[in-house]
Amino acid sequence: MYQSKSFYCPFCHAGPFPKRFALASHVSQCAQCSTAALAQARKHINPPVDDRPSIVAPQSPPALVFDNPSEPPELELDRSASPDSETRPTKRPRNDDPPSSYFNTFSLLFPKEKSAGQAHNYHGTPFETQFQSQTQLGKEPWDPFADEDEWELADWFMTAEVSQEDINKYLKLKITRQRTHVSFKDKQQFFKKVDALPCGPKWERIIMTVKGDQLGPDGRVLTESLEIWARDPVECVKEILGNPSFKDEVSYSPRKEYLDPEMRQRVYTEMATADWWWKVQERLPKGATIASVIIASDKTQLSRMGGDKSAWPVYITIGNIGKATRRKPSQHATILLGYLPVTKLEIFSHTATRQLMGQDLFHRSMKLLLEPLERAGRAGVQMVCPDGYARKVYPILAAYIADHPEQCLVTCTKENRCPQCKYPGRNQTDTLTILKCRASGDPQAEEEAREEGLRATYPPFWANLPHTDIFSCITPDILHQIHKGMFKSHLFEWCQAILGTAEMDQRFSAMPSHPSLRHFHRGVSHLTQWTGKEAKQLERVFVGTMVGAVDNRTLTAIRALLDFFVLAQYDTHTDESLELMEESLSAFHKNKHYAFGNQRDQFNFPKLHSLVHYTSAIRSLGTLDGYNTELPEQLHIDFAKKAYSASNKRDYIVQMTVWLRRQEAIHRLRSYIAWVRPLIETPRNPDGDSDGEASDK
């Protein structure tokens, strides 16, 4: 069946346009897009030449050339580009956006004498090793299942989330026993085959005992035993880095990208193009390969209609893999590292003591989880990469994704302070010194900790992690700081207080409809539960609703802040776009007291203050679409909520780990079969004969 195409403007990302002529008409009529297209055409006529060997120049001409400006050409965008080519700024990141491949960049590679990402002997990927072993033993790729049909049934059992009871019922049906003839007769035999499949890193249960300050009925001090379910983070990095599916997605060394051969206009996209990787690579020995570890954690509710069952998953991925791949849960580029204990610590009598011990419990648990990274980050570990070559990999914590309360918990900072700000003389070493002296009872350290807003937690889990500055690891949180924070909880409420609820609803309902925009025909006051989706939809039309309702200076403040929101979501940044971000934020600060002084006495609160760190975070770690907390929220569905639903709700964490291990094993076998299928299928000629047979037969 014919499927119609949609077209997007490569300059302002407007669209979709139903026809190529409509896109060409838009480019010719929009002054900004027309100017950009003409500039790109001139660059094609006189392409820049760079003879310096350290600069890798683009190999292809610009995509758009205007031979006759009076006749707009038909433009068609290439949707087949790989995720690595995502280098065009987008104003509204969406899942259906075309890949951004409209910048011709010049790459400055890391010095060759340092041999960053050096490959050693060829070991073969895990899939190649498995295929050779099965070939020698005469086994089929879907082993231990009898044939491919049986494997497809097993795959359906697991992916369709069929309950164990229903699996048993199906296998005991008369038609199943007499016609299907599967090799497993009940759920026990079925899961025995699933458990025999190769899977990811092993799970380990760690028991931690906490001693309270209250006495029990027998006169003894109350204690509580807590469970930490953990996997080795080094083995998790090996699992991710060794996946052959990521062969074309992995970066092994840092680079700097520029728009011009004179290296004046820097481009920031993936983590490998930012500053952190380059700086850390300079401190490592020759031939080292950095695995830039990204940790994300977020407590989530498991029980739905009632109950207090919760889980605290911790996820791990690496910045070597393209952010477009990391953002897709189906790609399994982010895996579960462990579950932290969730407890109310009722064995302590006072709330303040419970809070203090809860902070200490978090850091002790994270210390147990991440301890293997300490030695691996200093000495390096031999790992097989997706291309089959072995490299000496140094897994180093580069980024930590969390919301504001958890950011403060990670950095040992009070929640009314900034977890990223570095006060004069404050760095990880100085902070550790203050925390250590405070723990030993030093009154001067107590005063310094109070001035800097530090919590009384020592030692933090990051104390011995090599090449790590925890304050620089904290990434901006677009979901909670912008969409559900500055926009929903502040800007929207300030404007609603100025206009009134009825006027705000009337303006939203009067907005003309458009296919790419949501029309709030009933207004917005009926929205009782906001998500990031509703906030994004409102942001797109918010300036239009305010026009004519407020004076120009107030409108300038509103537009400046929304401009910052849009720029913060670009999947590619340049030095120029980062300057625009800073100018937009500065324009808001210049007008905020005039515009919203009646709604708020002071503007020194965490969510607004956090915006000053966005540009520095982009320069250090790459664009922020790779660190959004929306990813952990999505991962909760597979790694927490579905796993909990598959349990019997008693001792559920251990059942969740078993369910997840089986899901990973099925996914791994599915990926392996897809990889090996071209090797085992016999190619046939157009007449239907195998290649080895004579055509006249």
Side-chain angles (χ1 to χ4, degrees):
M1 180 181 295
Y2 174 77
Q3 185 175 3
S4 61
K5 293 184 178 180
S6 298
F7 304 94
Y8 294 79
C9 177
F11 305 109
C12 70
H13 199 266
F17 296 97
K19 297 182 179 180
R20 290 178 292 182
F21 178 80
L23 172 57
S25 177
H26 160 78
V27 173
S28 64
Q29 295 177 29
C30 177
Q32 179 182 0
C33 299
S34 178
T35 302
L38 289 173
Q40 199 172 56
R42 295 190 193 100
K43 187 184 296 184
H44 177 56
I45 297 171
N46 300 302
V49 179
D50 186 24
D51 296 329
R52 286 173 290 181
S54 58
I55 302 292
V56 179
Q59 302 298 319
S60 58
L64 303 178
V65 178
F66 283 80
D67 295 326
N68 186 357
S70 63
E71 280 185 43
E74 292 188 347
L75 308 178
E76 183 172 356
L77 307 186
D78 182 12
R79 291 177 173 267
S80 62
S82 65
D84 276 345
S85 64
E86 290 197 354
T87 53
R88 175 177 54 89
T90 60
K91 293 184 178 179
R92 301 185 299 272
R94 293 163 49 182
N95 293 333
D96 57 349
D97 281 347
S100 49
S101 56
Y102 302 100
F103 279 158
N104 285 324
T105 60
F106 298 80
S107 297
L108 174 64
L109 305 181
F110 198 74
K112 292 183 179 180
E113 58 270 15
K114 296 286 288 185
S115 302
Q118 182 180 7
H120 301 292
N121 298 331
Y122 186 83
H123 287 251
T125 65
F127 285 177
E128 292 175 346
T129 304
Q130 182 176 348
F131 179 66
Q132 292 173 0
S133 175
Q134 288 183 336
T135 303
Q136 293 174 358
L137 298 175
K139 295 182 178 180
E140 297 291 341
W142 33 81
D143 183 76
F145 299 102
D147 50 35
E148 188 172 7
D149 294 339
E150 185 174 296
W151 147 246
E152 290 178 352
L153 176 63
D155 188 23
W156 179 79
F157 278 159
M158 299 300 295
T159 55
E161 301 174 31
V162 182
S163 68
Q164 296 189 22
E165 182 181 355
D166 289 339
I167 291 175
N168 238 5
K169 289 180 179 178
Y170 175 83
L171 293 176
K172 292 182 178 180
L173 289 174
K174 188 175 181 180
I175 189 173
T176 304
R177 294 197 309 268
Q178 294 181 354
R179 298 187 185 181
T180 308
H181 301 295
V182 292
S183 60
F184 39 86
K185 306 304 179 185
D186 52 31
K187 66 177 183 180
Q188 286 81 9
Q189 295 183 19
F190 169 68
F191 285 117
K192 187 176 181 180
K193 288 182 177 290
V194 174
D195 293 337
L197 294 172
C199 59
K202 305 297 182 184
W203 283 96
E204 178 185 4
R205 185 177 67 169
I206 304 172
I207 304 296
M208 180 185 297
T209 302
V210 180
K211 189 176 182 180
D213 61 2
Q214 298 190 77
L215 299 179
D218 56 356
R220 297 181 180 181
V221 177
L222 294 177
T223 61
E224 185 175 359
S225 295
L226 303 174
E227 291 183 351
I228 304 172
W229 287 88
R231 298 202 278 191
D232 189 332
V234 177
E235 294 299 320
C236 291
V237 172
K238 283 184 179 180
E239 177 74 12
I240 299 171
L241 197 57
N243 191 337
S245 304
F246 303 145
K247 180 179 179 180
D248 299 326
E249 307 287 339
V250 175
S251 298
Y252 299 109
S253 61
R255 65 186 185 277
K256 295 181 180 179
E257 294 187 349
Y258 297 87
L259 281 180
D260 57 311
E262 293 79 17
M263 296 185 293
R264 296 192 189 98
Q265 192 71 225
R266 182 88 177 268
V267 179
Y268 302 90
T269 53
E270 304 287 350
M271 183 182 284
T273 66
D275 294 334
W276 176 87
W277 197 331
W278 191 284
K279 292 177 181 178
V280 175
Q281 190 75 54
E282 291 176 336
R283 301 200 296 262
L284 294 181
K286 180 179 179 180
T289 301
I290 292 178
S292 49
V293 176
I294 302 173
I295 299 293
S297 61
D298 183 33
K299 189 187 299 184
T300 184
Q301 187 77 14
L302 296 178
S303 47
R304 296 181 180 177
M305 303 302 293
D308 59 349
K309 299 294 189 297
S310 301
W312 200 335
V314 181
Y315 306 106
I316 185 172
T317 184
I318 54 176
N320 306 61
I321 299 174
K323 57 189 178 181
T325 301
R326 294 202 314 267
R327 288 198 303 262
K328 298 176 182 176
S330 60
Q331 295 293 324
H332 290 256
T334 302
I335 63 177
L336 185 65
L337 177 61
Y339 290 110
L340 300 180
V342 179
T343 175
K344 296 180 180 179
L345 293 175
E346 294 179 345
I347 56 176
F348 294 97
S349 54
H350 301 290
T351 302
T353 306
R354 293 173 187 170
Q355 292 177 349
L356 182 62
M357 295 307 298
Q359 298 160 15
D360 183 68
L361 176 63
F362 170 81
H363 282 273
R364 288 170 60 189
S365 303
M366 289 296 295
K367 169 75 173 177
L368 292 172
L369 272 180
L370 301 182
E371 196 168 20
L373 291 180
E374 296 177 6
R375 184 177 180 278
R378 292 189 180 92
V381 179
Q382 201 81 359
M383 296 187 187
V384 178
C385 298
D387 58 1
Y389 286 91
R391 291 175 174 84
K392 193 168 187 180
V393 177
Y394 292 74
I396 299 171
L397 179 61
Y400 200 112
I401 302 174
D403 55 17
H404 179 75
E406 204 154 324
Q407 290 176 356
C408 295
L409 181 61
V410 168
T411 56
C412 304
T413 307
K414 294 181 180 179
E415 291 189 17
N416 61 348
R417 299 296 184 94
C418 177
Q420 294 174 268
C421 272
K422 296 185 178 180
Y423 307 111
R426 179 186 181 187
N427 53 42
Q428 180 159 307
T429 303
D430 295 337
T431 302
L432 286 173
T433 302
I434 295 174
L435 293 175
K436 183 177 181 180
C437 294
R438 179 181 185 176
S440 62
D442 187 339
Q444 184 178 355
E446 179 75 25
E447 182 64 24
E448 290 183 6
R450 186 179 299 108
E451 291 179 358
E452 296 192 9
L454 296 176
R455 289 170 166 170
T457 301
Y458 186 82
F461 72 85
W462 37 264
N464 298 319
L465 290 176
H467 310 292
T468 296
D469 180 5
I470 196 62
F471 304 108
S472 300
C473 290
I474 299 300
T475 60
D477 178 9
I478 291 179
L479 176 62
H480 296 99
Q481 291 174 350
I482 288 184
H483 298 314
K484 300 175 75 172
M486 276 306 302
F487 179 73
K488 185 252 182 183
S489 300
H490 297 289
L491 181 63
F492 180 85
E493 292 184 359
W494 296 340
C495 293
Q496 192 174 42
I498 295 174
L499 270 66
T501 303
E503 176 67 15
M504 182 75 82
D505 284 344
Q506 192 276 333
R507 285 182 164 269
F508 271 101
S509 61
M511 288 288 290
S513 60
H514 189 275
S516 64
L517 300 174
R518 176 177 174 181
H519 184 220
F520 296 88
H521 60 280
R522 294 172 52 200
V524 292
S525 60
H526 69 281
L527 298 176
T528 57
Q529 186 173 0
W530 283 51
T531 65
K533 181 180 180 181
E534 279 77 24
K536 294 175 189 176
Q537 292 167 341
L538 285 167
E539 289 167 16
R540 295 176 183 175
V541 299
F542 195 71
V543 172
T545 62
M546 294 295 106
V547 173
V550 296
D551 57 58
N552 290 339
R553 193 171 176 184
T554 302
L555 190 63
T556 299
I558 295 171
R559 178 176 176 178
L561 196 57
L562 286 169
D563 283 347
F564 182 91
F565 296 167
V566 171
L567 290 165
Q569 298 174 72
Y570 275 18
D571 63 356
T572 298
H573 269 286
T574 64
D575 289 332
E576 183 179 357
S577 64
L578 293 178
E579 290 175 4
L580 288 175
M581 284 185 67
E582 294 169 350
E583 291 172 2
S584 299
L585 189 59
S586 177
F588 170 77
H589 284 301
K590 288 178 181 178
N591 296 280
K592 62 186 178 184
H593 290 285
Y594 172 84
F596 308 113
N598 294 332
Q599 281 69 46
R600 193 175 183 93
D601 296 332
Q602 55 85 22
F603 291 85
N604 185 21
F605 55 95
K607 284 185 171 61
L608 178 57
H609 169 81
S610 67
L611 304 185
V612 304
H613 297 291
Y614 275 49
T615 55
S616 60
I618 292 170
R619 289 187 172 97
S620 176
L621 298 172
T623 50
L624 304 182
D625 56 327
Y627 310 101
N628 200 338
T629 51
E630 288 184 1
L631 175 60
E633 299 282 353
Q634 293 175 345
L635 294 174
H636 285 340
I637 298 174
D638 292 329
F639 293 126
K641 300 183 185 298
K642 286 184 178 179
Y644 176 74
S645 298
S647 70
N648 61 8
K649 315 302 185 291
R650 295 187 298 272
D651 294 329
Y652 51 89
I653 294 293
V654 60
Q655 299 176 56
M656 291 166 64
T657 58
V658 172
W659 185 85
L660 288 167
R661 177 173 53 79
R662 289 169 175 170
Q663 292 290 331
E664 289 178 348
I666 291 293
H667 170 77
R668 190 183 188 280
L669 181 57
R670 190 187 310 117
S671 301
Y672 169 71
I673 291 176
W675 175 86
V676 81
R677 190 177 298 279
L679 302 178
I680 62 176
E681 288 182 344
T682 304
R684 307 183 72 87
N685 59 32
D687 296 330
D689 300 317
S690 300
D691 288 347
E693 297 178 351
S695 60
D696 58 349
K697 291 184 180 180

